[in-house]
Amino acid sequence: MSLAPRKENEAASHGDADGSSNEFECVDPKKVLTKLDLRLIPVISLLYLLSFLDRGNIGNARIEGMAESLKMTGPQYNWTLQSFRGLLAARIFLGVAEAGLFPGVSYYITMWYVREECQFRQALFSSAAGVAGAFSGLLAFAIAKMDGVGALEGWRWIFILEGILTVIVACGSYFLIYDFPEKATFLSKEERAWLTHRLKYQGSRDSGHMVAEAAEFQWKYVKDAFSDWQIYVHILVFWGVDCPLYGISLFLPTIVKELGYTSSIAQLLTVPIYVTACVISVTVAFYSDRHRHRSPFICVALCAILVGFIICIAASSQGAHGAVYAGIFIATCGVYPAGAGMVTWLSNNLAGSYKRSAGMGIQISLGNLSGAMASNFYRESDSPKFILGHALEISFAAVGLLAVVALRLNYQRINQGRDAEPVRECSEEEMSVLGDRAPTFRYIL
């Protein structure tokens, strides 16, 4: 499928930004959104589930004997995620193949849903990572029983079978994903026009002045993305959430095993953590969309991450294994709603398809450097307490929390300034080119 920004339907009436003009009286919005949810979300969620399963299964393989088979030391396992011999090549190819999936799909969602609908769908999609975490533990537990089949260890079968499943689903998805609303054959002509119209005018709705988003490509929009202050502050938020996410996904089975459980029990104990985190993420996203606010929900989630890892440090020093498990549980339940919120928040506040795609790409690509950092947080020499790893997660989450507060205050200041000043005389084309910097645009807080 192509992920190039859509070309808007220039013939659409201005009407209302939500597409409620007389031209679309025959369109049932709820019916259209239900069609989108059933056609788009399951496929992209399954793809991300398998992507995350492939990235995180190295943690499951480790406690099933991979490190011993490959005669790897603790530091070598940490750097295997980036630079250790044969596994290096496998991880590089995995990264190349899957690097564009998360930013691509996150942007893809904005091509179909308006700002106050995106986080719920982003949560459904990204919660697939949580399902992958739960499913990974169960699947690894079952596959590990194949130890000795074909003269291969159980941990090798984890990679083989999960990799085959990913290839099969990826090939099938090519025929199931639609490029743009204009090409959505499952919608009527009127429904496609309504969908395109509301996306086109969404950014200016709150100002009362209808201004369409720019549709034609200019390199200026890419340059604007690289020079936009908000993207770089959002990257700090991304690190504050993604470092804990990677730390948990790569090392949770190991951490649980170090609490004294067998590898099989350790795999199973990861399941309730991920399932609960998914439910909380989707619930939080629903209310975030309903209230059209992002920052309060992200702040609460980051606080949960902080509390969770603080409990881990305090409990580890006392040897309270149950409390350490509870701390990881709480932190994970903060990571997933924060993850969906932070990506949606930036996409909501970038106007114009091309600037939005470039800005989200910058945020997620630079943000994913957190994976390189987090892969070295939990060293074998620090087990079973992992004080250093937990402390580093706390530091990044604290920086992310401060960045959220800074964003909220600046967005609020800019919105208030635009509300107080009369809209200066500009053509609609000039307003479109300005994008989120136009006086008619209002940031979501």
Side-chain angles (χ1 to χ4, degrees):
M1 83 175 180
S2 169
L3 284 181
R6 63 185 180 279
K7 290 185 179 297
E8 307 289 3
N9 181 0
E10 297 300 333
S13 165
H14 284 205
D16 296 327
D18 60 359
S20 58
S21 66
N22 293 336
E23 181 182 354
F24 305 115
E25 284 182 346
C26 61
V27 175
D28 183 345
K30 290 184 178 180
K31 183 179 178 181
V32 176
L33 291 176
T34 299
K35 286 183 181 180
L36 296 183
D37 291 342
L38 294 177
R39 293 282 188 148
L40 307 178
I41 304 301
V43 179
I44 61 177
S45 296
L46 180 58
L47 287 172
Y48 191 55
L49 184 154
L50 294 174
S51 168
F52 209 86
L53 193 67
D54 289 339
R55 276 183 278 165
N57 58 16
I58 192 170
N60 301 109
R62 182 189 189 187
I63 68 172
E64 294 296 343
M66 181 189 72
E68 291 78 8
S69 290
L70 299 181
K71 298 180 174 57
M72 297 167 60
T73 63
Q76 284 176 326
Y77 170 75
N78 287 6
W79 286 101
T80 289
L81 306 174
Q82 304 154 57
S83 60
F84 183 68
R85 296 188 178 180
L87 214 48
L88 162 66
R91 299 303 289 189
I92 286 177
F93 282 116
L94 179 65
V96 169
E98 297 184 345
L101 180 63
F102 183 77
V105 173
S106 296
Y107 171 66
Y108 182 69
I109 289 172
T110 70
M111 293 162 56
W112 296 83
Y113 298 95
V114 294
R115 299 199 293 175
E116 61 269 26
E117 297 164 354
C118 283
Q119 186 170 337
F120 181 66
R121 278 75 188 183
Q122 181 73 32
L124 289 173
F125 153 64
S126 58
S127 286
V131 175
F135 187 55
S136 178
L138 290 171
L139 196 58
F141 174 75
I143 295 176
K145 302 299 181 184
M146 294 179 64
D147 188 49
V149 175
L152 297 175
E153 298 98 323
W155 66 265
R156 295 183 188 273
W157 281 111
I158 292 175
F159 290 124
I160 292 170
L161 295 183
E162 293 179 3
I164 290 173
L165 179 61
T166 299
V167 172
I168 293 173
V169 173
C171 292
S173 67
Y174 178 82
F175 304 98
L176 299 174
I177 295 180
Y178 295 84
D179 287 347
F180 312 115
E182 293 86 349
K183 297 184 179 180
T185 55
F186 60 90
L187 298 176
S188 68
K189 180 180 178 181
E190 292 77 15
E191 289 171 337
R192 291 195 295 270
W194 172 80
L195 193 60
T196 303
H197 177 274
R198 67 201 296 262
L199 288 164
K200 187 175 183 179
Y201 293 96
Q202 60 178 320
S204 59
R205 186 179 70 179
D206 293 340
S207 70
H209 297 270
M210 303 298 294
V211 176
E213 290 193 357
E216 298 300 322
F217 175 76
Q218 296 181 32
W219 281 108
K220 173 187 181 303
Y221 303 133
V222 179
K223 181 181 177 181
D224 286 347
F226 275 99
S227 62
D228 196 334
W229 66 271
Q230 62 173 318
I231 292 174
Y232 298 99
V233 183
H234 271 283
I235 290 172
L236 296 178
V237 181
F238 201 105
W239 285 350
V241 176
D242 229 36
C243 278
L245 172 62
Y246 275 104
I248 289 169
S249 64
L250 296 173
F251 294 95
L252 180 58
T254 300
I255 293 170
V256 175
K257 184 182 178 183
E258 291 294 339
L259 297 180
Y261 300 103
T262 64
S263 61
S264 297
I265 297 300
Q267 303 279 26
L268 296 176
L269 283 174
T270 65
V271 175
I273 296 179
Y274 286 117
V275 171
T276 305
C278 287
V279 173
I280 292 175
S281 178
V282 173
T283 303
V284 168
F286 175 81
Y287 285 103
S288 180
D289 276 349
R290 170 172 285 190
H291 295 286
R292 301 186 79 238
H293 274 78
R294 306 297 181 214
S295 57
F297 297 94
I298 299 174
C299 279
V300 171
L302 282 165
C303 287
I305 296 172
L306 288 170
V307 169
F309 283 111
I310 289 171
I311 291 174
C312 287
I313 289 180
S316 294
S317 63
Q318 301 297 320
H321 295 168
V324 173
Y325 180 79
I328 292 292
F329 207 124
I330 294 170
T332 307
C333 289
V335 163
Y336 283 89
M342 66 179 182
V343 173
T344 305
W345 197 17
L346 178 62
S347 71
N348 287 167
N349 289 333
L350 295 175
S353 295
Y354 290 97
K355 182 180 179 181
R356 186 181 303 118
S357 62
M360 294 178 71
I362 295 168
Q363 177 202 28
I364 296 172
S365 60
L366 294 181
N368 276 334
L369 292 175
S370 57
M373 295 182 279
S375 66
N376 293 286
F377 285 2
Y378 292 93
R379 305 175 303 181
E380 187 174 352
S381 59
D382 296 327
S383 66
K385 296 182 179 181
F386 295 109
I387 300 296
L388 176 62
H390 298 328
L392 288 170
E393 305 290 21
I394 290 171
S395 300
F396 275 92
V399 171
L401 184 60
L402 293 174
V404 171
V405 174
L407 284 164
R408 164 82 187 209
L409 293 175
N410 274 282
Y411 285 151
Q412 193 167 353
R413 175 184 58 80
I414 294 170
N415 283 351
Q416 290 172 346
R418 291 175 181 176
D419 288 339
E421 294 180 7
V423 178
R424 62 179 185 269
E425 293 296 326
C426 294
S427 68
E428 182 176 328
E429 183 179 352
E430 290 173 322
M431 291 287 193
S432 295
V433 171
L434 285 172
D436 51 84
R437 294 173 179 171
T440 54
F441 186 87
R442 296 297 181 271
Y443 291 108
I444 284 185
L445 303 180

